[in-house]
Amino acid sequence: MKILVINSGSSSLKFKVYEMNDNSVICKGLVEQIGAPNSYAKLSAAGKDYERKGEIANHGKAIEIMNELFSESGTLGSFAELDGIGHRVVQGASDFKDSALIDDSVIAKIDELSALAPLHNPAHLSGIKSSIAAAPNVPNVAVFDTVFHQTMPEEAYMYALPLEFYEKYKIRRYGAHGTSHKYVSAKAAEFLGVELDKFDAITLHLGNGSSISAIKGGKCADTSMGLTPLEGPMMGTRCGAIDPAIVPFVMQNAGLSAAEVDAVMNKKSGLLAIAGSNDMREVESAMEKGDKNAILAFNMLTHHIVKYVGAYYAELGGAQALIFTAGIGENDAQLRAAVCARLACFGVKLDAEKNKVRSGEPRVVSTEDSLVKVLVVPTDEELAIAQDVVRVAGLK
């Protein structure tokens, strides 16, 4: 049984094709810089890479390029050979309590919710529509980042705004990266030999987009992203949580429209704004050369992360584990060390040598006597999505 998983971002997408009989990866790839002149697509299969360079105008064209690479590599003759296609969708709000088999009503609802995830939902829709057009008879399933966070209590997801804003406009905390938080928390509990319904942890999904979640008994109790994926710690190009009065202040004093301020906060802030790059490798390279802005950006990010971890530790009444995942969380030993050093007051002790090890497997990087286990758990959102496609589409 072959399942294609498409994980679309605002200007990129990742994809994997799984053989679900053994959960093996038949091929995987990515398309980067969609909409830019220097677009790049790559598919890897059986030890070989197949590439395309040159402008890829939109996500629909990216799907077409994927199809070409499937054919060239011999992995698939066409999308019609697939048994199902899964799509990561960032925002499902409270309208979706589970993953959904995609039909016209689901597409319309995802479109309606685009205002809550303007960088992502429109991109997801483009990928969904192109996939359906490429293979109309193959079931497509939407797997929502927000579903895992539906277990938050009211005091965690409500904002202290007039109730009519919630009742009329659905303004509340929804969170994101739920598929990742669910996957790594379950994986960590299994790795530590703890029953999931008795597992309390803090999960740190740190990448170009970052979110932190408090896990109580294996379920989400709180999370850092809010109405949109803008809230939380500073990110690659997003400012994270700020004083909301900054928005009207900037509009009045810099002469920017609401849409322009929104674009600044989502696309021109974060690490990019402070350090000049949203790539942590470049930020840390600049730090080594004494770049003050790069050092400031690193320290700000560390500060933001520690604030959320400290708050969630108190909210949970303690935690058995601190779990790092995603691009930065899995690969940046320097940031993990900086964060854990500031959590020593909670009995967190990092093993410096274990922390340096690179691995694709879950691992403990804390010392034996650390009161809180520190783990690095590689996320596999795509496999989790593929498994949901099989379940929701009723495939056997």
Side-chain angles (χ1 to χ4, degrees):
M1 184 187 303
K2 294 182 176 65
I3 302 295
L4 167 64
V5 173
I6 299 175
N7 189 342
S8 300
S10 56
S11 61
S12 64
L13 64 81
K14 297 189 294 181
F15 61 90
K16 286 184 181 178
V17 178
Y18 287 91
E19 173 50 68
M20 298 307 294
N21 293 330
D22 59 4
N23 292 341
S24 61
V25 177
I26 296 172
C27 66
K28 63 180 180 179
L30 51 80
V31 185
E32 295 181 321
Q33 302 295 328
I34 295 172
N38 60 332
S39 304
Y40 173 71
K42 182 176 79 170
L43 179 148
S44 300
K48 293 184 179 181
D49 292 336
Y50 303 84
E51 300 176 314
R52 290 284 190 280
K53 295 180 180 179
E55 184 173 0
I56 299 173
N58 51 48
H59 284 73
K61 289 294 183 182
I63 298 293
E64 292 179 15
I65 295 297
M66 282 171 51
N67 222 345
E68 291 178 10
L69 294 175
F70 286 146
S71 180
E72 182 181 334
S73 65
T75 52
L76 285 173
S78 72
F79 274 33
E81 295 180 7
L82 293 163
D83 294 284
I85 303 173
H87 300 266
R88 174 207 177 204
V89 180
V90 163
Q91 183 56 266
S94 55
D95 297 89
F96 294 96
K97 307 296 185 184
D98 195 1
S99 301
L101 190 64
I102 295 174
D103 57 17
D104 289 344
S105 65
V106 171
I107 288 174
K109 181 58 68 173
I110 293 172
D111 188 26
E112 180 185 323
L113 296 172
S114 289
L116 300 179
L119 294 181
H120 294 91
N121 272 32
H124 302 322
L125 282 173
S126 182
I128 288 168
K129 291 175 181 178
S130 298
S131 297
I132 292 173
N137 296 321
V138 176
N140 284 252
V141 172
V143 179
F144 298 93
D145 269 5
T146 44
V147 166
F148 181 62
H149 302 306
Q150 290 297 302
T151 55
M152 285 188 292
E154 282 185 307
E155 61 263 30
Y157 71 69
M158 288 293 292
Y159 289 110
L161 293 167
L163 283 174
E164 65 179 304
F165 288 7
Y166 172 64
E167 294 163 352
K168 289 185 178 180
Y169 309 116
K170 301 181 180 180
I171 295 176
R172 53 157 284 182
R173 180 179 307 282
Y174 292 110
H177 299 136
T179 306
S180 177
H181 288 291
K182 179 181 179 181
Y183 178 86
V184 299
S185 55
K187 200 76 174 176
E190 179 185 11
F191 183 78
L192 294 174
V194 180
E195 293 180 30
L196 185 58
D197 62 0
K198 297 178 181 177
F199 187 54
D200 298 346
I202 300 169
T203 50
L204 296 92
H205 179 107
L206 306 177
N208 196 49
S210 296
S211 62
I212 301 170
S213 289
I215 309 299
K216 184 73 172 178
K219 297 179 180 180
C220 180
D222 206 345
T223 194
S224 61
M225 284 184 168
L227 175 71
T228 75
L230 184 60
E231 193 180 355
M234 67 184 287
M235 309 174 211
T237 63
R238 297 175 219 165
C239 59
I242 59 171
D243 180 348
I246 292 171
V247 175
F249 183 90
V250 170
M251 291 174 65
Q252 293 166 11
N253 289 276
L256 300 181
S257 67
E260 288 170 331
V261 175
D262 184 72
V264 168
M265 293 190 299
N266 273 290
K267 299 179 180 180
K268 299 179 181 179
S269 299
L271 292 173
L272 179 65
I274 305 300
S277 173
N278 62 322
D279 187 324
M280 277 299 290
R281 293 165 296 189
E282 294 181 4
V283 173
E284 290 175 2
S285 176
M287 287 172 60
E288 292 175 3
K289 299 172 184 176
D291 187 304
K292 293 182 179 179
N293 289 335
I295 294 169
L296 173 60
F298 182 91
N299 290 340
M300 287 174 66
L301 178 57
T302 303
H303 175 76
H304 289 191
I305 293 169
V306 168
K307 279 207 302 184
Y308 276 98
V309 172
Y312 289 165
Y313 190 88
E315 188 175 343
L316 292 170
Q320 293 149 285
L322 184 66
I323 305 163
F324 288 88
T325 194
I328 295 173
E330 294 171 29
N331 299 304
D332 196 329
Q334 186 172 351
L335 183 68
R336 290 196 300 265
V339 168
C340 289
R342 295 180 62 176
L343 296 173
C345 57
F346 296 132
V348 173
K349 296 182 181 180
L350 199 67
D351 185 308
E353 293 306 313
K354 289 180 181 178
N355 187 45
K356 294 176 184 176
V357 174
R358 298 287 290 269
S359 172
E361 299 297 323
R363 59 199 186 277
V364 174
V365 295
S366 51
T367 62
E368 290 291 333
D369 61 341
S370 180
L371 296 183
V372 180
K373 295 288 185 184
V374 181
L375 290 86
V376 178
V377 180
T379 192
D380 198 340
E381 294 170 279
E382 289 83 7
L383 176 58
I385 291 169
Q387 291 168 339
D388 257 17
V389 173
V390 174
R391 176 179 63 85
V392 173
L395 300 174
K396 297 181 179 178

